[in-house]
Amino acid sequence: MDCIFCKIINGEIPSEKVYEDDKVFAFMDINPLNDGHVLIIPKSHAGTIHEIGEDDFLAVMSATHKLAAAVRKALNPDGINLLQLNGKAANQVVPHLHVHIVPRWSGDGLTVSQWEIVAGNMEKVKNVAEQIKNSLK
Ligand code: AMP
Ligand code: ZN
């Protein structure tokens, strides 16, 4: 498979590994948004949240929980953003599912989690909630 993150897992492409278990691999992002920017990926290739099985996804999230604690212990950030992008429209660049751990410091200037708060149309919010609830059935 011609996937850059699969190649990182099998060692064809070097990486700064920080964690590995039977289902998950975690390594440093080479274009860090801040010190301590870590990527957590499933070993079994899945493009997005729509392709990954629940077991592998839970393993990724469990490792993310462990690594967030380690990043906090190591770097003492003021906060941490978890980012997980699915699809080109969501700005996903590498098509192998990954969670970003981005440590944050007050005043670091990153805009990654900033958006303008605009009041919603509550009629529309309610209709969309109904659609989602119906889709869970
Ligand atoms: P995304 O927009 O969520 O798909 O982000 C992909 C991330 O992968 C970016 O933050 C890149 O800096 C990172 N990245 C791409 N290639 C590598 C690599 N070879 N080693 C480590 N990180 C990488
Ligand atoms: Zn892959």
Side-chain angles (χ1 to χ4, degrees):
M1 156 116 29
D2 193 24
C3 167
I4 185 171
F5 284 180
C6 284
K7 286 181 179 164
I8 283 178
I9 293 163
N10 70 27
E12 273 180 70
I13 292 176
S15 71
E16 199 59 50
K17 180 175 87 173
V18 289
Y19 175 79
E20 181 175 16
D21 62 31
D22 56 332
K23 291 193 153 146
V24 176
F25 192 95
F27 56 106
M28 304 308 291
D29 195 303
I30 46 164
N31 307 298
L33 291 175
N34 255 342
D35 286 348
H37 186 163
V38 172
L39 300 175
I40 302 101
I41 65 178
K43 283 189 171 172
S44 173
H45 179 88
T48 73
I49 193 157
H50 305 301
E51 283 94 40
I52 193 169
E54 188 179 2
D55 279 4
D56 277 343
F57 187 67
L58 290 179
V60 168
M61 294 317 289
S62 175
T64 299
H65 185 250
K66 199 189 296 272
L67 282 157
V71 165
R72 184 163 80 140
K73 196 170 165 193
L75 299 172
N76 194 30
D78 300 318
I80 285 178
N81 285 138
L82 296 183
L83 301 171
Q84 200 279 303
L85 317 182
N86 298 282
K88 282 198 178 124
N91 294 327
Q92 182 180 11
V93 173
V94 176
H96 181 129
L97 182 138
H98 48 283
V99 174
H100 299 253
I101 289 180
V102 182
R104 299 298 305 271
W105 284 271
S106 304
D108 64 17
L110 291 187
T111 54
V112 71
S113 55
Q114 268 176 19
W115 56 82
E116 198 188 340
I117 300 292
V118 178
N121 170 340
M122 289 317 289
E123 186 68 22
K124 193 174 176 199
V125 170
K126 194 170 154 44
N127 286 339
V128 173
E130 286 306 321
Q131 282 177 269
I132 294 169
K133 285 189 278 183
N134 285 335
S135 300
L136 283 168
K137 288 175 190 162

